[in-house]
Amino acid sequence: MVMIKSFSSSAIQNVFSFRLILLVLLFELSSAQLSSNFYSSSCPNLLSTIKTAVNSAVSNEARMGASLLRLHFHDCFVNGCDASVLLDDTANFTGEQNAGPNANSLRGLDVIDTIKSQVEKLCAATVSCADILSVAARDSVVALGGPSWTVVLGRRDSTTASTSAANSNLPGPDLNLSALITAFSNKGFTAKELVALSGSHTIGQARCTTFRTRLYNDADINASFATSLKANCPSSGGDNNISPLDTVTPTSFDNNYFKNLLTQKGLLHSDQQLFSGGSTDSQVNAYSSNSASFMNDFASAMVKMGNLSPLTGTNGQIRLNCGKTN
């Protein structure tokens, strides 16, 4: 009887060890499914096709670079980088495009659709919309003079989207520093990475409705800066009037965003919160005087963001049209 018990215990241990090894292998396989050469055989001209299209779009309208970058961010922060933000509402489905942080402000959907149609002609039913969006964001930054980074590929597209998740996960322009740190920490980012990623506001425009409260209520705002903005953003009306997030070089990806914060010229309340006597002041100072450090940290943080909860393997699908499921 003792021998039988011993054998049974050993057998159980072997089964447990086998299952543990299997789980580790499955995890490693899942992690390995994203790679920089994912489409090297199935769609070898993918990257050059996206780059050409992005360069053309940004050349036509420099603001589009910021819009494509924001589109990627608003995708990844809501249930991962799965192109859920691109799904249009239907009669029986409400997606993310009309959630509070996205309503009347998402841009670049047409550019992604154009790229997708070009890619489908090259290699049908092969490249995900999520991957196109990830590469387009990188190419947009590069087109405006910012850093480059290697985009790993192999993401698949979601079959659903969530209005409520968009409303609860995307940090708003009125958040204070502690809420910003929490919002980014919830996605695995440090306070330093929060500051680096916020540097994306060195490009792009914001609507009056997102900074009106700051203009008329905040104390930590440069007086002449506020006055110059009020003409285009009255205390009531003009919600969709736009102003550059970086008034110095609004179409150049540089570190002027941080220099602006030092003189209380952050456009959004959430921008100025990064330099308002809190824990991130020193990092803003550092980036304001060291552009290379900002560029490097921004690129690293973008790689990390692009890896947020991707669908891989047989999860999700490769949408044929980015605006709707197959």
Side-chain angles (χ1 to χ4, degrees), residues 45-59 62 64-69 72 111-112 115 119 131-151 153 203 253 298 302:
N45 295 320
L46 172 66
L47 295 181
S48 59
T49 300
I50 296 176
K51 189 176 186 66
T52 298
V54 168
N55 286 345
S56 175
V58 173
S59 176
M64 187 53 68
S67 299
L68 292 171
L69 176 58
H72 177 50
V111 175
I112 297 300
I115 295 172
V119 170
D131 276 345
I132 289 173
L133 194 48
S134 300
V135 176
R138 188 268 313 273
D139 291 348
S140 292
V141 171
V142 172
L144 293 174
S148 186
W149 58 91
T150 299
V151 178
L153 302 164
I203 53 175
F253 198 98
F298 178 82
M302 286 299 296

Side-chain angles (χ1 to χ4, degrees), residues 32-323:
Q33 284 174 328
L34 290 187
S35 70
S36 59
N37 59 1
F38 189 85
Y39 299 110
S40 59
S41 298
S42 59
C43 198
N45 295 320
L46 172 66
L47 295 181
S48 59
T49 300
I50 296 176
K51 189 176 186 66
T52 298
V54 168
N55 286 345
S56 175
V58 173
S59 176
N60 289 336
E61 183 199 15
R63 184 188 176 196
M64 187 53 68
S67 299
L68 292 171
L69 176 58
R70 181 175 186 259
L71 202 53
H72 177 50
F73 167 57
H74 281 221
D75 178 32
C76 293
F77 256 55
V78 183
N79 297 324
C81 308
D82 59 3
S84 57
V85 71
L86 302 179
L87 287 174
D88 299 324
D89 291 353
T90 64
N92 54 6
F93 168 81
T94 303
E96 298 165 17
Q97 293 178 15
N98 288 305
N102 292 330
N104 302 313
S105 66
L106 281 185
R107 304 176 77 252
L109 297 166
D110 53 336
V111 175
I112 297 300
D113 285 343
T114 297
I115 295 172
K116 176 63 171 173
S117 64
Q118 292 175 356
V119 170
E120 282 298 308
K121 290 175 184 175
L122 279 180
C123 17
T126 302
V127 181
S128 69
C129 299
D131 276 345
I132 289 173
L133 194 48
S134 300
V135 176
R138 188 268 313 273
D139 291 348
S140 292
V141 171
V142 172
L144 293 174
S148 186
W149 58 91
T150 299
V151 178
V152 288
L153 302 164
R155 300 168 192 79
R156 289 168 65 86
D157 299 322
S158 70
T159 54
T160 187
S162 172
T163 305
S164 60
N167 282 324
S168 61
N169 284 273
L170 292 171
D174 295 322
L175 292 188
N176 61 27
L177 180 59
S178 62
L180 287 168
I181 290 173
T182 297
F184 278 75
S185 175
N186 287 342
K187 300 298 177 184
F189 292 101
T190 64
K192 182 179 181 180
E193 289 168 330
L194 153 67
V195 176
L197 289 172
S198 296
S200 62
H201 285 181
T202 181
I203 53 175
Q205 310 264 338
R207 295 181 302 140
C208 168
T209 186
T210 63
F211 58 87
R212 176 185 286 118
T213 301
R214 169 158 168 73
L215 280 190
Y216 293 92
N217 294 325
D218 284 9
D220 60 345
I221 185 168
N222 179 284
S224 59
F225 174 67
T227 299
S228 70
L229 291 168
K230 286 178 179 177
N232 195 43
C233 186
S235 55
S236 63
D239 283 4
N240 292 320
N241 294 349
I242 58 174
S243 291
L245 288 155
D246 168 9
T247 55
V248 182
T249 51
T251 58
S252 294
F253 198 98
D254 54 31
N255 68 335
N256 276 327
Y257 167 80
F258 300 106
K259 295 178 181 179
N260 295 338
L261 297 184
L262 299 187
T263 54
Q264 299 189 321
K265 293 180 182 178
L267 184 65
L268 306 180
H269 176 79
S270 55
D271 288 327
Q272 197 60 55
Q273 279 290 291
L274 300 179
F275 190 81
S276 195
S279 60
T280 52
D281 280 16
S282 59
Q283 193 57 57
V284 170
N285 255 320
Y287 287 154
S288 73
S289 61
N290 191 332
S291 177
S293 173
F294 160 55
M295 298 285 191
N296 183 67
D297 290 352
F298 178 82
S300 297
M302 286 299 296
V303 170
K304 187 171 176 178
M305 189 172 76
N307 287 332
L308 287 177
S309 307
L311 296 172
T312 58
T314 56
N315 294 316
Q317 62 183 209
I318 302 297
R319 279 186 226 143
L320 303 180
N321 178 326
C322 291

